[in-house]
Amino acid sequence: MNRLAILAASAALFAVPVSAPAFAQRNFDNVEITTEEIAPGVAVLFGAGGNIGVSHGEDATLIIDDQFAPLSTKIERAIANLGATPVKYVVNTHWHFDHTGGNEHFGGTGATIFAHDNVRVRMATGGTAAGRETPPSPPEALPVVTYAQGTRIHLNGDTISLMFFGGGHTDGDSVAIWEEANVVHMGDLYFNIPGYPFIDTNSGGSVYDAMRSLDIVIAMIDDETKVIPGHGPMSNKAELTAFRAVIGEAVSRVDALREAGMTLEEAVASAPLADIDRGEGGFISADAFIGAIWDSEK
C-alpha cells in the first residue's frame, strides 16, 4: 500500500471514534491488515485503529498496540506471514480501545502486557475514552507489567526502551524506541493524518504535556530515525518536528485570546486557526482542537 493510500485509509478509519455507536456497529470483516517492514526484525501493521509496531526474531515476538478485538486473528495471520512466532509480549502506548482492543485475546493466549501505571488503572476502572463510555476491562486484558517512568526490554538483538515523558494525549502515553534499529513508535502523541491531534482531556491529556513530550522525543532522535505515528503512514523527524510546530503555533494563538479575556465561545468564533492548513477532513477539527487547548491543564 503506498503512502497516499495509507494516509487516506488511516484518516477514514479513525474519523469515527467520537461516536460510540459507530464503533459498536462497525463491521471489521473487510478490514485488511497490511505490513511494512522498516528494519531487520521490525515491522508496522496498518489496519483499523492504532498502528502496530512489531519486533520479531529469534527471541520472541513483541507488538506495540493491538487495535480492535475483532481483528486479533487477522493480526496474528499478518505476524505469521512475517515468519514470526506467536505474540509473547504486548505493549500498550495508552488505554484507548483502538489500541488495546486485542489485549483480551493476546493476554488470554499467554502474552505479557506492558504499559504505564495509568493505563492499567484506567482500563481496570473504565470511564470515558475518546468520547465513548468504556467498561472495565476483563483481567486478561489488563497490563501485567507497569511502570511510572519506563523500562527496557532486551529482545531480538535490540533494546526497546519504553518511556513516559509526562503524557499529553492521555496521562499514560508511552513512547517506544528501538535503540539499535533507530525506530520510534509515538503512539497517539503523533497523528500523521489530516486534521488536528486529539487531546483526550477526559483521560488526563493536556496539549502542554504533549508539547513537552514531543520536544523530548525530537531531541532524542535523528534524521535517520524511522517514526511510527499512532495513526497514518510512516514518518520521520522532519515531519514530526513540523507537526510539533503546528501545535505550538495553535496553542500560542489560543493562549493569546484567553489572556485577552475572551471566552471559549468567542475564541472559537474568531477562527484563530483558519490559515493553518491541516488538510481536508480528519478526525479533529480546528474548533475541537481549540476546545482541547482551552481545557488542557498547564
Side-chain angles (χ1 to χ4, degrees):
M1 183 178 290
N2 65 34
R3 179 181 176 83
L4 291 178
I6 293 171
L7 182 61
S10 298
L13 290 169
F14 203 62
V16 291
V18 252
S19 172
F23 272 132
Q25 299 170 11
R26 180 166 182 182
N27 183 353
F28 290 93
D29 291 346
N30 296 325
V31 172
E32 179 186 5
I33 304 297
T34 62
T35 303
E36 182 176 345
E37 295 197 62
I38 58 176
V42 183
V44 183
L45 305 184
F46 302 96
N51 294 333
I52 299 174
V54 183
S55 170
H56 63 96
E58 292 185 359
D59 297 333
T61 299
L62 173 150
I63 62 174
I64 298 177
D65 291 337
D66 49 29
Q67 299 191 357
F68 293 98
L71 298 175
S72 295
T73 55
K74 292 185 178 183
I75 292 167
E76 286 180 323
R77 192 177 308 125
I79 290 169
N81 288 339
L82 288 168
T85 56
V87 174
K88 186 173 182 179
Y89 304 109
V90 175
V91 176
N92 294 146
T93 61
H94 60 291
W95 84 294
H96 284 163
F97 44 84
D98 59 320
H99 294 254
T100 62
N103 275 24
E104 184 176 3
H105 172 84
F106 290 107
T109 63
T112 301
I113 304 173
F114 294 71
H116 185 266
D117 293 337
N118 290 339
V119 173
R120 180 181 170 93
V121 170
R122 290 192 179 278
M123 291 184 69
T125 58
T128 303
R132 185 180 91 167
E133 285 304 311
T134 303
S137 298
E140 298 85 354
L142 295 177
V144 174
V145 180
T146 64
Y147 47 84
Q149 294 181 311
T151 191
R152 307 177 86 200
I153 301 174
H154 303 273
L155 194 71
N156 299 324
D158 209 329
T159 299
I160 304 170
S161 292
L162 310 179
M163 294 169 283
F164 174 75
F165 298 128
H169 173 64
T170 69
D171 60 5
D173 302 298
S174 289
V175 170
I177 292 183
W178 281 257
E179 296 182 5
E180 296 298 324
N182 198 13
V183 173
V184 58
H185 193 310
M186 296 296 300
D188 279 2
L189 286 168
Y190 180 27
F191 288 80
N192 193 23
I193 59 175
Y196 286 85
F198 174 42
I199 304 296
D200 189 356
T201 55
N202 287 324
S203 294
S206 164
V207 70
Y208 303 100
D209 289 339
M211 290 192 295
R212 286 187 282 267
S213 293
L214 289 167
D215 287 341
I216 293 170
V217 175
I218 290 168
M220 292 177 66
I221 64 177
D222 60 39
D223 292 341
E224 303 303 316
T225 304
K226 297 178 177 68
V227 178
I228 305 172
H231 298 268
M234 284 296 300
S235 189
N236 54 45
K237 181 176 182 176
E239 291 179 345
L240 180 63
T241 302
F243 173 81
R244 166 61 176 87
V246 168
I247 296 175
E249 178 62 22
V251 169
S252 294
R253 295 183 186 188
V254 173
D255 280 349
L257 297 179
R258 179 159 38 192
E259 291 168 6
M262 281 192 180
T263 64
L264 172 58
E265 292 73 19
E266 290 169 338
V268 170
S270 72
L273 311 184
D275 63 331
I276 298 178
D277 183 10
R278 288 295 300 162
E280 295 296 327
F283 174 40
I284 295 296
S285 67
D287 289 356
F289 189 51
I290 293 169
I293 296 170
W294 209 270
D295 290 341
S296 292
E297 293 187 7
K298 293 186 177 182

